[in-house]
Amino acid sequence: MTAQDRINAYWTGRAPSYDEYQQRPDHLAVDQQAWSEVWKDALPPAPSDVLDVGTGSGQVAMVLAGLGHRVTGIDLAEGMLDRARQHAASMPNGPVIRRGDAVHPDFPSGSFDAVTSRYLMWTLREPEVAVANWVRLLRPGGTIAVVDSTWFPDGLENASENFTEHYDPQVQAVLPLATAQSIDQTVTVLETAGLTQVTVTPLTSIYELDRRFGVAPNHEHQMQFLVTGQR
């Protein structure tokens, strides 16, 4: 079993509870509104062709489609793909969900106006290779926009969530951003890929939303960041 197989198994097992938390009716609408504002400001005007890598249960892909973009979401965890397909099928002009590797997305060069990801960078193997491939998929002037945080600066073994069964030393060895001490490490990855105008935006609106409604079980309340760059 490869490191990626272990990651896929973990997220397939997490898919039901992860998706149910995302869909909580008490704050689903306000969540979607807040994230719509984040992505609207980050991306080219709709309608644009957008690839959401590591789409998971499809929450970002659905928000982007709701903004009027033509969205394709890819992931390798079958459990997450099942959830994402269910959501996509419920929406007119919903995202296209397909199995695909975020490190090596199988699309022709220049297929998209933007590539997005949320909560992927920390668990992304070969991030510099991945982002270079995302740049290849962009049309001139296209945008890469990623959201993440420094979730585990003290190491995965000290995380409040139990990763040890799947995120073993073999897996951790291929995830250079898993224990990042600063979001600047993600910035460096985007700059190394040749992107220009790389900027970091603290997502204060999401921080306040988490303060208001709480965070997922075994998670900590902390600042998330939007990192964008242009081809």
Side-chain angles (χ1 to χ4, degrees), residues 1-219:
M1 181 178 285
T2 68
Q4 187 62 55
D5 290 336
R6 293 182 182 277
I7 294 171
N8 298 344
Y10 174 81
W11 289 106
T12 286
R14 277 285 310 281
S17 62
Y18 186 92
D19 186 47
E20 286 162 11
Y21 181 83
Q22 297 283 346
Q23 299 298 317
R24 287 190 306 172
D26 60 325
H27 70 127
L28 179 60
V30 70
D31 262 3
Q32 290 179 326
Q33 180 60 38
W35 283 107
S36 292
E37 292 299 323
V38 169
W39 294 114
K40 183 179 180 181
D41 291 345
L43 298 183
S48 295
D49 295 308
V50 182
L51 177 65
D52 186 46
V53 290
T55 197
S57 60
Q59 198 270 352
V60 171
M62 293 289 287
V63 168
L64 298 179
L67 290 171
H69 295 293
R70 297 178 291 266
V71 186
T72 301
I74 62 171
D75 207 289
L76 287 173
E78 292 294 343
M80 288 290 189
L81 287 169
D82 288 345
R83 294 280 173 151
R85 290 183 180 117
Q86 291 173 30
H87 296 309
S90 71
M91 179 182 191
N93 301 313
V96 175
I97 304 297
R98 53 186 280 188
R99 189 176 190 278
D101 182 5
V103 180
H104 299 284
D106 187 17
F107 300 93
S109 298
S111 294
F112 298 97
D113 301 299
V115 177
T116 61
S117 76
R118 189 180 71 163
Y119 311 154
L120 172 68
M121 298 301 291
W122 76 269
T123 187
L124 180 64
R125 71 185 200 282
E126 301 178 277
E128 291 186 356
V129 173
V131 177
N133 284 329
W134 303 348
V135 172
R136 176 184 61 80
L137 298 181
L138 289 178
R139 296 168 184 141
T143 299
I144 288 176
V146 304
V147 169
D148 221 312
S149 186
T150 51
W151 302 112
F152 310 111
D154 298 323
L156 291 176
E157 65 278 5
N158 294 313
S160 54
E161 187 169 342
N162 183 11
F163 288 100
T164 54
E165 182 179 353
H166 293 97
Y167 279 71
D168 61 9
Q170 176 198 15
V171 172
Q172 294 185 43
V174 300
L175 305 179
L177 297 178
T179 57
Q181 303 293 304
S182 167
I183 199 65
D184 290 343
Q185 291 171 251
T186 297
V187 171
T188 298
V189 170
L190 269 63
E191 291 177 337
T192 299
L195 292 167
T196 62
Q197 303 175 52
V198 178
T199 60
V200 179
T201 304
L203 296 180
T204 54
S205 63
I206 304 303
Y207 186 86
E208 289 304 311
L209 204 62
D210 287 344
R211 182 185 60 78
R212 178 179 169 191
F213 289 103
V215 296
N218 299 318
H219 286 63

